[in-house]
Amino acid sequence: MSTVALPIESFGVSHRGCVRDQNEDNYLIDPQTGLWVVADGMGGHEAGEVASASIVDHLATIGIASSAPDLRARFEDRLSRANSEIRNISRSRGVTIGSTFAALLAMDGRFAGLWAGDSRIYLVRNGMIFQVSKDHTEVQELLDRGMISAEEALTWPRRHVITHAVGVSDELEIDFQQGELIPGDVFVLSTDGLTAHVSDAEIEATVRSATPQAACQSLLEMVLARGGTDNVTIVLVKIGGGRDGALHQDRSGAESLAR
């Protein structure tokens, strides 16, 4: 494992979109601990906002980890606490609420992407875009089984049905991918409000040479110009190449528009 700490620049935006009355998304930018998160709540009647806020609030208490495994353990502990809290709220209200999430952990020259649901993690590297996460949806399961084509998936009636999320069951199911950080890497974390309107190729072209702040704002403007049918949250994390950089040298920003 590389012990080189790389400078990181990050930024985030969140907007209720053009159709929804409120924003049930939440996000967290915490470069000191090496953590970035987007969460997309579901449940209606403000319950979705409660679920996504629970995830962000618990993860914000992680603190400074002593190692990458410690960071991962702290993350999973806080997420488990959020899951329990959301379950208790669901029981008290007599409804099922929950939240998808996508998170990036970065420490000691390594990264881990963790997620549940259809919030996504992309990596733009060497002029190419890769989807790190894999959607937890019914339509993705049908694609994996070869039962429908990629073209059919675009208009499949139940394409938005989620199969995993935080708070929907006592047993928390998440996936992860990990790898080495390379100077110039750009990670894009987003709720499905972005990917409903913007293609992977457009995301790659937008983030390739722009700062995280400029790229976030450009992607948001693109979504809103195309109708913004859902809440949208975007967090960009750009890995620099300075020799003496450190995670806490981050130049981070955050915006929440019309929340």
Side-chain angles (χ1 to χ4, degrees):
M1 176 181 292
S2 169
T3 58
V4 177
L6 298 168
I8 294 179
E9 182 182 2
S10 51
F11 197 84
V13 293
S14 190
H15 195 287
R16 64 181 174 84
C18 302
V19 176
R20 301 293 179 90
D21 292 329
Q22 63 185 37
N23 191 353
E24 294 188 321
D25 288 357
N26 273 284
Y27 70 100
L28 174 66
I29 293 177
D30 194 352
Q32 296 257 352
T33 61
L35 172 63
W36 297 262
V37 182
V38 299
D40 182 355
M42 52 195 186
H45 306 294
E46 300 182 356
E49 183 179 12
V50 169
S52 63
S54 176
I55 291 174
V56 166
D57 290 347
H58 280 283
L59 291 177
T61 70
I62 279 181
I64 306 299
S66 60
S67 64
D70 181 37
L71 178 59
R72 171 77 180 273
R74 289 172 182 236
F75 178 91
E76 293 183 349
D77 171 72
R78 297 327 190 263
L79 195 66
S80 179
R81 295 184 196 185
N83 189 70
S84 296
E85 180 176 77
I86 296 167
R87 294 291 291 157
N88 288 335
I89 294 170
S90 293
R91 282 189 281 266
S92 68
R93 297 189 180 187
V95 295
T96 298
I97 65 173
S99 178
T100 72
F101 83 90
L104 174 70
L105 306 180
M107 190 173 189
D108 295 339
R110 302 279 297 178
F111 77 86
L114 304 98
W115 71 94
D118 60 356
S119 288
R120 289 183 179 177
I121 306 165
Y122 289 97
L123 169 59
V124 177
R125 174 180 285 177
N126 297 328
M128 299 179 66
I129 187 168
F130 308 91
Q131 186 175 329
V132 176
S133 60
K134 187 175 186 179
D135 294 349
H136 294 142
T137 58
E138 283 191 6
V139 73
Q140 184 63 55
E141 290 182 355
L142 293 172
L143 279 168
D144 291 345
R145 295 173 189 166
M147 298 176 68
I148 62 173
S149 67
E151 292 72 23
E152 289 174 315
L154 296 174
T155 56
W156 196 256
R158 291 172 58 85
R159 63 188 177 280
H160 298 302
V161 176
I162 305 297
T163 56
H164 296 336
V166 181
V168 298
S169 65
D170 291 331
E171 185 176 347
L172 181 60
E173 295 184 63
I174 63 174
D175 271 342
F176 79 97
Q177 291 283 349
Q178 58 187 354
E180 184 176 352
L181 293 172
I182 296 176
D185 283 349
V186 181
F187 290 90
V188 182
L189 282 63
S190 76
T191 57
D192 65 332
L194 171 67
T195 50
H197 296 285
V198 182
S199 70
D200 292 5
E202 289 173 320
I203 293 172
E204 188 276 326
T206 302
V207 309
R208 186 189 309 144
S209 56
T211 65
Q213 179 175 353
C216 277
Q217 292 171 337
S218 293
L219 290 170
L220 177 58
E221 289 169 5
M222 208 178 296
V223 170
L224 298 179
R226 296 173 183 180
T229 55
D230 199 354
N231 305 150
V232 57
T233 299
I234 309 159
V235 169
L236 260 67
V237 184
K238 184 175 183 179
I239 311 301
R243 288 188 216 165
D244 55 357
L247 282 177
H248 21 303
Q249 289 182 322
D250 171 271
R251 293 175 290 158
S252 292
E255 284 192 4
S256 181
L257 308 175
R259 295 193 64 172

